[in-house]
């Protein structure tokens, strides 16, 4: 068997079993890398129809001048649909993309073992099943691993290279090198529920859905706050409508069940009811939003224009929100300074402080308004505020005007611990720290996976460094005190990180 830098040589035959959307996409990726590719599907005629679909997609690339006609013709000349599993005997790599059923995958790979050579790599594209369990029925489980592509495979750069408990290190290395040679971004991870992305991304959805269940705000407002303040490309409600509510909920439930109902991964009742009602998102015409033709997206709640205060007092520093001070001064709002505290004071004494896992109403010192975390307060276009029950209406209006003077839209939400962005980001950072400590993946691969797999604005570990482990830990401790179910209890990894940072101060 020939190889380049440890991977499968370009002349090596790649076989793809399962010819749905994902199987077709993986086949297209292998073709683009120069491999001969054989397509197999147990359903008669499906492999040929898949080959025709790939030809159509390559033709559209030619029409858009993203592929030359000779390159398309050469790729199609290397593509062969086959009707018999025995036709895959010469494959150096077989990638499986059939239905997500353990028995079906085990039966397929058991059959493949009697067909392919002993040196052939076997890979499953599973997103929810254990790679170790898939390999468990094999005579030589060491050559089976996970290659988890993201949809659409030709466009998404990330591939999770998943090493099962029995996977040989050399097999994982060859697969990693092959994926890299295909122009993808491979990351290594252990065989744990959800791998990297589907494990660490859970709070992005779960915290927004929980905020909706708590009536913090409507979906459009929660989406807008996470996009325009948190920096995420899409909000969780619009994103799960695109993914499919049934698909997203199934992944959440699978990870939760695989982790023995860990409260940190608890699924959303509101999403479960949405799925049960048949409102699966764009594909059914209705999810969190109505996607019927001609129906517009509801607008987020945005406060009316208000007058800013004539001045504010800075008490101590604002931690992750310290950048606001410069923005206030640039906007011409005088800032006086007091040595003690971690808040801004409005002229009437109302405290304006960053969300920290407590509520504004719980502030024992004064009327209070919380403002939510932002990825970057200079570039953020929206900020969420929540007022205590003791805060006068005029004080809230003054706080609104303050942020409007900085050029921000303002959404007023219900006063709950952690607000929206702060609790979401704190949980993402904690999940990432915990994953590193448990050996799921390296810190570098975790941040790479979240940046390239789900387009996060910042890797969660890098985000944690920017915020400070102490702020993340204390925010989660406050959330845990308010909701002592274990959902928000900071991981031991995060606690250790914060303690180590404190010793360096």
């Amino acid at each position: 068997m020939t190889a380049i830098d440890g991977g499968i040589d370009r002349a090596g035959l790649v076989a793809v079993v399962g010819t749905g959307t994902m199987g077709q996409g993986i086949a297209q990726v292998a073709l683009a890398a120069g491999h001969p590719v054989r397509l197999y599907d147990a359903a008669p005629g499906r492999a040929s129809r898949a080959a025709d679909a790939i030809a159509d997609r390559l033709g559209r690339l030619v029409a858009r001048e993203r592929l030359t006609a000779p390159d398309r013709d050469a790729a199609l000349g290397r593509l062969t649909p086959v009707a018999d599993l025995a036709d895959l005997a010469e494959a150096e790599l077989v990638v499986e993309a059939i239905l997500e059923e353990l028995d079906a995958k085990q039966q397929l790979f058991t059959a493949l073992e009697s067909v392919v050579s002993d040196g052939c790599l076997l890979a499953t594209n599973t997103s929810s099943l254990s790679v170790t369990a898939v390999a468990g029925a094999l005579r030589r489980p060491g050559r089976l691993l996970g290659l988890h592509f993201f949809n659409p495979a030709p466009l998404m750069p990330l591939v999770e290279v998943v090493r099962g408990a029995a996977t040989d290190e050399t097999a994982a290395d060859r697969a990693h090198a092959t994926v890299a040679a295909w122009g993808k971004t491979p990351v290594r991870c252990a065989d744990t529920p959800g791998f990297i992305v589907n494990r660490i991304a859970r709070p992005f959805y779960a915290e927004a859905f929980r905020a909706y269940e708590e009536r913090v705000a409507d979906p459009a407002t929660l989406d807008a706050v996470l996009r325009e303040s948190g920096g995420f490309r899409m909000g969780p409600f619009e994103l799960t409508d695109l993914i499919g509510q049934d698909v997203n909920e199934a992944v959440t439930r699978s990870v939760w069940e695989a982790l023995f109902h860990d409260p940190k991964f608890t699924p959303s009742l509101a999403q479960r009811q949405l799925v049960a009602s048949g409102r699966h998102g764009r594909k059914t015409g209705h999810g969190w939003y109505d996607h019927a033709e001609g129906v517009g997206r509801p607008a987020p709640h945005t406060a009316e224009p208000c007058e800013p205060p004539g001045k504010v007092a800075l008490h101590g520093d604002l931690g992750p929100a310290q950048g606001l001070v410069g923005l206030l001064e640039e906007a011409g709002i005088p800032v006086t300074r007091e040595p003690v505290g971690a808040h801004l004071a409005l002229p009437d004494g109302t405290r304006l402080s960053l969300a920290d896992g407590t509520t504004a109403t719980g502030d024992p010192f004064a009327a209070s308004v919380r403002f939510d975390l932002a990825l970057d307060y200079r570039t953020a276009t929206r900020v969420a505020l929540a007022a205590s029950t003791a805060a006068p209406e005029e004080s809230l209006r003054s706080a609104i005007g303050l942020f409007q003077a900085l050029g921000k839209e303002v959404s007023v939400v219900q006063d709950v611990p952690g607000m929206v962005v702060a609790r979401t980001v704190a949980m993402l950072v904690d999940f990432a720290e915990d994953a590193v400590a448990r050996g799921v993946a390296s810190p570098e691969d975790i941040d790479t996976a979240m940046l390239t797999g789900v387009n996060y604005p910042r890797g969660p570990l890098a985000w944690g460094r920017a915020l400070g482990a102490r702020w993340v830990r204390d925010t989660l401790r406050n959330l845990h005190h308010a909701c002592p179910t274990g959902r928000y209890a900071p991981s031991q990894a995060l606690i250790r990180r914060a303690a180590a940072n404190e010793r360096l101060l």
Side-chain angles (χ1 to χ4, degrees):
M1 182 175 299
T2 56
I4 298 177
D5 294 331
I8 304 299
D9 186 82
R10 181 175 294 184
L13 176 65
V14 173
V16 178
V17 179
T19 57
T21 300
M22 186 57 74
Q24 292 177 28
I26 295 169
Q28 185 176 329
V29 171
L31 284 172
H35 292 275
V37 175
R38 291 184 187 172
L39 287 174
Y40 171 80
D41 199 292
R46 283 198 63 181
S48 294
R49 290 193 294 273
D52 292 340
I54 293 170
D56 288 343
R57 278 199 294 274
L58 295 181
R60 290 195 293 272
L61 291 177
V62 171
R64 294 198 294 267
E65 298 184 345
R66 295 173 59 187
L67 183 71
T68 67
D71 284 345
R72 173 203 57 194
D73 295 341
L76 294 177
R78 298 192 301 273
L79 178 62
T80 307
V82 298
D84 194 321
L85 207 62
D87 292 325
L88 309 183
E90 299 171 3
E92 296 189 13
L93 168 64
V94 179
V95 183
E96 165 272 316
I98 65 172
L99 71 168
E100 287 286 88
E101 291 183 3
L102 179 60
D103 287 347
K105 292 182 188 294
Q106 287 180 329
Q107 290 173 18
L108 169 65
F109 283 114
T110 299
L112 280 168
E113 274 200 311
S114 64
V115 171
V116 299
S117 70
D118 286 350
C120 177
L121 281 179
L122 302 178
T124 173
N125 184 57
T126 185
S127 61
S128 61
L129 298 177
S130 164
V131 171
T132 300
V134 173
L138 300 186
R139 172 175 51 84
R140 296 185 63 250
R143 60 169 163 175
L144 187 139
L145 67 150
L147 286 182
H148 181 215
F149 289 78
F150 288 73
N151 194 31
L155 298 179
M156 294 296 287
L158 183 68
V159 180
E160 293 176 320
V161 181
V162 187
R163 185 175 175 182
T167 303
D168 293 334
E169 185 174 355
T170 53
D173 289 344
R174 288 179 58 220
H176 187 279
T178 298
V179 170
W182 290 359
K184 295 298 182 181
T185 303
V187 292
R188 299 176 189 268
C189 62
D191 182 27
T192 58
F195 309 142
I196 300 175
V197 171
N198 282 332
R199 179 192 185 103
I200 294 174
R202 293 343 306 155
F204 178 68
Y205 312 107
E207 292 309 308
F209 298 162
R210 187 177 180 91
Y212 169 77
E213 292 169 351
E214 295 169 343
R215 298 298 184 260
V216 173
D218 61 279
T221 300
L222 293 167
D223 273 350
V225 170
L226 282 159
R227 280 197 317 270
E228 300 170 36
S229 185
F232 294 95
R233 185 168 297 183
M234 296 181 73
F237 296 90
E238 58 188 337
L239 179 56
T240 52
D241 265 5
L242 178 64
I243 294 169
Q245 298 301 331
D246 54 335
V247 174
N248 182 263
E249 200 268 346
V251 172
T252 299
R253 186 168 295 276
S254 172
V255 173
W256 176 61
E257 290 175 348
L259 290 171
F260 308 106
H261 296 185
D262 186 328
K264 290 178 178 287
F265 296 87
T266 301
S268 162
L269 177 59
Q271 188 183 37
R272 176 90 289 268
Q273 292 174 331
L274 202 66
V275 172
S277 72
R279 294 186 167 187
H280 295 172
R282 289 182 178 272
K283 61 187 177 184
T284 62
H286 206 305
W288 296 111
Y289 300 109
D290 186 347
H291 298 281
E293 187 175 352
V295 176
R297 179 71 58 83
H301 169 76
T302 302
E304 296 296 323
C306 297
E307 285 293 319
K311 62 180 181 179
V312 295
L314 170 64
H315 290 254
D317 74 69
L318 302 179
Q322 185 65 17
L324 281 172
V325 179
L327 297 180
L328 290 169
E329 293 173 331
E330 290 173 19
I333 297 175
V335 180
T336 61
R337 287 168 168 78
E338 300 292 339
V340 179
H343 64 277
L344 297 168
L346 300 178
D348 68 354
T350 299
R351 291 158 59 104
L352 186 58
S353 55
L354 174 64
D356 64 355
T358 63
T359 61
T361 299
D363 190 328
F365 299 104
S368 181
V369 175
R370 293 278 192 268
F371 59 88
D372 209 349
L373 182 69
L375 174 71
D376 182 338
Y377 285 100
R378 181 171 293 277
T379 58
T381 57
R382 182 178 299 270
V383 174
L385 300 183
S388 70
T389 54
E393 180 64 25
E394 195 55 39
S395 296
L396 175 58
R397 291 181 60 82
S398 183
I400 292 169
L402 183 72
F403 281 96
Q404 289 173 337
L406 304 182
K408 316 302 181 188
E409 301 277 11
V410 176
S411 292
V412 178
V413 301
Q414 291 297 314
D415 181 27
V416 296
M419 298 189 71
V420 181
V421 181
R423 75 202 250 183
T424 299
V425 172
M427 289 287 279
L428 289 171
V429 173
D430 187 55
F431 273 40
E433 288 282 2
D434 184 61
V436 172
R438 294 178 184 272
V440 173
S442 70
E444 296 76 16
D445 277 354
I446 284 176
D447 273 0
T448 296
M450 303 313 289
L451 286 166
T452 60
V454 280
N455 293 311
Y456 280 8
R458 182 179 285 168
L461 294 166
W463 216 333
R465 290 192 295 273
L467 294 170
R470 180 177 179 177
W471 181 87
V472 178
R473 179 202 63 192
D474 290 350
T475 296
L476 290 175
R477 279 179 171 171
N478 290 335
L479 279 159
H480 179 56
H481 179 76
C483 180
T485 63
R487 180 187 183 98
Y488 299 108
S491 68
Q492 290 301 306
L494 178 63
I495 291 170
R496 290 193 297 270
R497 175 81 63 191
N501 289 354
E502 287 171 343
R503 285 195 295 270
L504 294 175
L505 296 178

